[in-house]
Amino acid sequence: MASSKKVNNYRRKIMKSLTRKLGSNHEPMPGDLKDLKEVKRVLIVRTNHRLGNLILITPLVQEVIRTFPNAKIDLIVQGFLGPIIFENYEAVVHITRLPKKPFKNLKDYIKGATSVRKYKYDFAINAVIGSSSGRLYTQMARAKYKVFGEEGQDFTQQFEDGRHIAKEQVYAFRAYMTRLGFISDNLPVPNLSLKLSNKELQSGLKRLREIVDDSKKVISIFTFATGDKRYQPEWWIPFYKRLQLEYPDYHIVEVLPYENVSQINFTAPSYYSKDIREIAAFISHTDVWIGADCGIMHLASASGAPVVGLFSRTNRHVYEPFNGKSFSLFTGDLTYDEIIKAVDGVIK
């Protein structure tokens, strides 16, 4: 594991060195683009396979759709989740799926990578500032306008939420459009969204009612996460008991992870599914979701449910959930009393 991490870090350094100057000579000129309705095809690049990272580009996709109402969108992503996440985005017409492990599937990776040259685009957009592979594919694309996402771009002086990875992507795109001569209307950044259909939502409610009745409102918890972001049973078990004590008028349901494990030993009524859209529809009918920083946290946020994101790391302003009442907590110096008080602000 350690050697693999070392190789990945070395690879990233090489890629950054090779791509850091890409886009340095690409400067849009005001007046080049006369009418936003003339933009017909846009490429967005996010070379990552993780659930959370792909959901985090949904605000950018929505911003592009709003900006270019006549445009069709192609995506370049890794893994198999892209078509599932963007299933109900009518403007997204083609998704190139690169293999999760390029060096083990080099032939498929090269085939997918060369597809970036297949179509001619009006815009190509690197969805993450500082992404070396994203910059490379943006450079390769046959597009007139290219949003590279220059490393070092800083939006924290202009926007209180300028550090957030999903929001800075939108701010970078807006900054580019401003350089083209289009004044930003400074609307709020779109929320994370899976665009769940009415049919999906009704199915989610049905699954919820199979577990708990409608006599009480519902708190959903998710006790899993990867690596050091995961809170151990020693933390979750007393916190779950505290939730039971504080909220006797609420059902508490545990949403289980793909691994089908529980940090509270399956003592709460639980829900399990491998279908991420079904999971989101289920969570959408709960009154608050509580869990650690992970892909399911972003999925919960994309469902529209209020989310309380628990962070053991200090990077919460980069990855925290957002949609109305959602917020994050750095729990390193918080007591259960303080966490409960914060939850009160959502459900009371």
Side-chain angles (χ1 to χ4, degrees), residues 256-322:
L256 297 172
Y258 182 87
E259 294 80 1
N260 198 16
V261 296
S262 169
Q263 302 296 86
I264 58 171
N265 299 319
F266 299 96
T267 50
S270 60
Y271 165 76
Y272 179 78
S273 174
K274 294 181 180 179
D275 186 324
I276 62 170
R277 298 191 68 86
E278 185 181 276
I279 297 169
F282 178 93
I283 293 171
S284 74
H285 294 288
T286 64
D287 294 273
V288 64
W289 180 98
I290 305 171
D293 171 27
C294 62
I296 299 296
M297 180 190 75
H298 297 301
L299 186 73
S301 185
S303 80
V307 170
V308 178
L310 306 174
F311 283 70
S312 57
R313 298 175 179 177
T314 57
N315 61 348
R316 66 186 183 92
H317 294 301
V318 179
Y319 294 104
E320 66 185 348
F322 64 95

Side-chain angles (χ1 to χ4, degrees), residues 60-347:
L60 175 63
V61 173
Q62 293 172 76
E63 180 77 9
V64 169
I65 291 170
R66 187 182 70 84
T67 305
F68 307 129
N70 295 332
K72 299 299 181 183
I73 298 172
D74 290 358
L75 302 176
I76 294 181
V77 300
Q78 285 181 313
F80 64 90
L81 291 175
I84 300 171
I85 291 169
F86 293 97
E87 180 179 313
N88 288 345
Y89 280 75
E90 293 182 4
V92 176
V93 295
H94 182 73
I95 300 177
T96 297
R97 294 178 292 168
L98 303 175
K100 290 193 294 185
K101 297 181 178 180
F103 296 109
K104 290 187 177 181
N105 303 275
L106 195 56
K107 184 177 179 181
D108 290 338
Y109 193 84
I110 293 173
K111 183 180 178 181
T114 55
S115 70
V116 74
R117 302 287 300 172
K118 186 175 181 180
Y119 302 108
K120 188 175 181 180
Y121 296 99
D122 297 297
F123 274 76
I125 304 170
N126 173 24
V128 177
I129 290 176
S131 169
S132 300
S133 54
R135 291 170 67 82
L136 183 60
Y137 287 119
T138 302
Q139 174 69 20
M140 290 169 58
R142 293 196 297 145
K144 182 175 182 180
Y145 305 103
K146 298 183 178 184
V147 186
F148 282 93
E150 294 88 346
E151 187 150 16
Q153 277 187 295
D154 183 1
F155 298 101
T156 57
Q157 299 300 313
Q158 297 169 262
F159 307 102
E160 186 178 348
D161 54 6
R163 290 174 59 193
H164 197 285
I165 188 171
K167 295 186 178 185
E168 72 172 1
Q169 298 166 4
V170 174
Y171 293 141
F173 172 67
R174 289 179 180 178
Y176 186 93
M177 295 306 298
T178 299
R179 283 151 62 193
L180 276 175
F182 295 92
I183 305 301
S184 173
D185 49 22
N186 290 321
L187 289 173
V189 172
N191 290 332
L192 307 181
S193 178
L194 263 67
K195 293 188 178 293
L196 294 168
S197 68
N198 287 332
K199 183 179 179 180
E200 288 174 317
L201 291 170
Q202 288 303 311
S203 177
L205 180 59
K206 181 181 178 182
R207 292 300 303 274
L208 178 63
R209 291 294 164 245
E210 289 171 356
I211 298 172
V212 294
D213 60 34
D214 61 359
S215 63
K216 299 179 181 180
K217 294 182 178 181
V218 182
I219 296 171
S220 57
I221 61 175
F222 186 81
T223 66
F224 192 70
T226 57
D228 62 357
K229 294 187 291 185
R230 186 188 316 162
Y231 292 78
Q232 299 303 314
E234 294 77 17
W235 189 94
W236 266 111
I237 291 172
F239 182 63
Y240 170 58
K241 291 179 179 178
R242 183 65 184 275
L243 288 174
Q244 289 178 301
L245 179 66
E246 294 288 339
Y247 304 112
D249 296 330
Y250 283 78
H251 294 300
I252 302 175
V253 176
E254 182 177 14
V255 178
L256 297 172
Y258 182 87
E259 294 80 1
N260 198 16
V261 296
S262 169
Q263 302 296 86
I264 58 171
N265 299 319
F266 299 96
T267 50
S270 60
Y271 165 76
Y272 179 78
S273 174
K274 294 181 180 179
D275 186 324
I276 62 170
R277 298 191 68 86
E278 185 181 276
I279 297 169
F282 178 93
I283 293 171
S284 74
H285 294 288
T286 64
D287 294 273
V288 64
W289 180 98
I290 305 171
D293 171 27
C294 62
I296 299 296
M297 180 190 75
H298 297 301
L299 186 73
S301 185
S303 80
V307 170
V308 178
L310 306 174
F311 283 70
S312 57
R313 298 175 179 177
T314 57
N315 61 348
R316 66 186 183 92
H317 294 301
V318 179
Y319 294 104
E320 66 185 348
F322 64 95
N323 65 6
K325 291 184 176 181
S326 294
F327 63 92
S328 66
L329 296 170
F330 172 61
T331 61
D333 52 3
L334 293 182
T335 64
Y336 288 143
D337 284 343
E338 290 168 317
I339 297 172
I340 291 295
K341 185 177 180 180
V343 174
D344 277 347
V346 176
I347 65 177

Side-chain angles (χ1 to χ4, degrees), residues 27-35 38 144-145 179-182:
E27 182 62 33
M29 295 297 293
D32 276 2
L33 179 62
K34 305 294 184 184
D35 188 350
E38 293 177 0
K144 182 175 182 180
Y145 305 103
R179 283 151 62 193
L180 276 175
F182 295 92

